[in-house]
């Protein structure tokens, strides 16, 4: 019985080691394929321009309905059929865009401004930022790696990290996330951890001062509300 137990343990260890080795080979194969695809993209101007145009279209689709939200909210009210219809359009567009961006990420990884321009690069970030919580969490390590390689902005990463922290019922670090009080139509700054050093953290990742950020939302000081409402996206 003891020999059988030892044999089973050894076999389980062998299976685990073999499985880990196969997983590493699979991951390395994916990395190599993406690297080859990026190299092909760099050498093919027509392909690069085509992909850039596609990303610009995704960027415009992501923004066009969101730019109408505040005006519709003020004009019709948050519970109006007009606002609900607009949210339906936003959600439908987000779903379509996410399929497109996932395909691009799978083929090329997180593409930097040097290849697809500022708006093309922003399109990747915005679509992931506007996806569901699970998708954001999945691609957070990918974006962190992209920042290290100068393929994504540290300020965008900070914004995504803040949003994920709030979704985990924690306080944000950079003060990027606002809530809207739908009764008053005014914005509220979400809670910040260690607010005394928030300016230092913002400067480190290339964000503007809190005063400048708050002014865009009609706020003048660090007012924190612990009640987490719908985060402005």
């Amino acid at each position: 019985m003891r020999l059988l137990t030892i044999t089973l343990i050894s076999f389980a260890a062998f299976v685990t080691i073999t499985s880990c080795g196969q997983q590493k080979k699979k991951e390395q194969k994916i990395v190599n394929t993406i690297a080859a695809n990026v190299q092909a993209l760099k050498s093919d101007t027509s392909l690069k321009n085509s992909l850039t145009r596609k990303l610009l279209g995704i960027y415009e689709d992501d923004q066009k309905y969101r730019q109408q939200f505040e005006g519709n909210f003020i004009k019709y009210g948050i519970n109006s059929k007009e606002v609900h219809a607009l949210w339906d359009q936003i959600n439908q567009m987000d779903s379509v865009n996410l399929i497109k961006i996932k395909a691009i990420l799978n083929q090329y990884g997180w593409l930097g401004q040097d290849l697809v321009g500022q708006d093309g690069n922003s399109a990747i970030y915005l679509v992931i930022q506007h996806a569901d919580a699970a998708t954001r969490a999945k691609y957070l390590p990918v974006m962190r790696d992209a920042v290290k390689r100068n393929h994504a902005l540290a300020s965008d990463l900070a914004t995504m990290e803040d949003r994920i922290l709030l979704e985990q019922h924690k306080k944000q670090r950079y003060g990027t996330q606002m809530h809207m009080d739908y009764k008053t139509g005014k914005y509220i700054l979400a809670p910040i951890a260690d607010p005394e050093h928030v300016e230092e953290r913002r400067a480190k990742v290339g964000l503007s001062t809190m005063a400048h950020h708050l002014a865009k939302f009609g706020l003048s000081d660090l007012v924190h509300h612990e009640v987490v409402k719908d985060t402005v996206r």
Side-chain angles (χ1 to χ4, degrees):
M1 180 63 69
R2 184 179 178 186
L3 179 61
L4 176 61
T5 301
I6 293 173
T7 301
L8 290 173
I9 291 173
S10 299
F11 177 72
F14 172 76
V15 171
T16 301
I17 293 171
T18 302
S19 178
C20 289
Q22 291 175 342
Q23 181 63 29
K24 287 183 179 179
K25 287 182 179 179
K26 183 179 179 181
E27 291 174 355
Q28 187 58 50
K29 183 177 180 181
I30 292 173
V31 170
N32 292 341
T33 299
I34 289 176
N37 290 341
V38 171
Q39 191 58 42
L41 187 67
K42 288 180 178 179
S43 61
D44 190 332
T45 302
S46 177
L47 179 61
K48 183 174 70 173
N49 290 343
S50 176
L51 182 58
T52 300
R53 287 194 298 271
K54 183 175 182 178
L55 284 167
L56 289 177
I58 293 172
Y59 176 87
E60 292 170 0
D61 287 341
D62 176 271
Q63 292 294 296
K64 66 182 178 182
Y65 295 125
R66 284 182 167 83
Q67 291 172 353
Q68 301 173 31
F69 178 79
E70 189 167 358
N72 279 26
F73 163 64
I74 294 172
K75 184 176 181 180
Y76 300 110
I78 191 61
N79 292 315
S80 65
K81 63 179 181 180
E82 288 82 3
V83 169
H84 283 296
L86 184 57
W87 269 120
D88 286 341
Q89 288 178 306
I90 290 173
N91 290 330
Q92 290 173 13
M93 186 61 70
D94 285 351
S95 297
V96 172
N97 283 342
L98 183 57
I99 293 171
K100 295 177 181 178
I101 289 298
K102 280 184 174 180
I104 292 172
L105 286 169
N106 288 339
Q107 186 171 2
Y108 297 107
W110 203 292
L111 294 167
Q113 295 185 23
D114 58 325
L115 279 177
V116 294
Q118 182 176 344
D119 287 346
N121 177 252
S122 293
I124 300 173
Y125 155 70
L126 286 172
V127 171
I128 299 300
Q129 175 77 334
H130 294 155
D132 57 279
T135 298
R136 278 190 292 277
K138 175 184 176 181
Y139 284 101
L140 181 61
V142 179
M143 188 175 187
R144 284 174 174 161
D145 180 65
V147 169
K148 291 178 182 178
R149 293 183 291 110
N150 294 319
H151 287 179
L153 297 177
S155 55
D156 287 343
L157 175 60
T159 304
M160 185 176 291
E161 289 179 337
D162 272 357
R163 184 166 188 187
I164 290 174
L165 284 169
L166 292 182
E167 289 171 338
Q168 296 172 345
H169 305 290
K170 299 175 183 178
K171 294 182 179 181
Q172 60 177 328
R173 298 189 69 247
Y174 300 96
T176 64
Q177 299 297 294
M178 311 295 291
H179 305 313
M180 178 178 280
D181 185 334
Y182 290 131
K183 292 182 179 178
T184 64
K186 295 182 179 180
Y187 290 102
I188 302 169
L189 178 64
I192 301 176
D194 186 23
E196 292 79 8
H197 298 96
V198 67
E199 296 289 13
E200 297 172 24
R201 294 193 294 271
R202 289 178 66 87
K204 189 175 180 179
V205 297
L207 288 166
S208 63
T209 64
M210 280 304 304
H212 182 270
H213 178 59
L214 292 172
K216 293 187 294 185
F217 296 92
L219 301 176
S220 58
D221 53 22
L222 292 176
V223 178
H224 299 88
H225 290 249
E226 296 298 331
V227 178
V228 176
K229 301 180 181 180
D230 292 334
T231 303
V232 176
R233 304 197 290 173

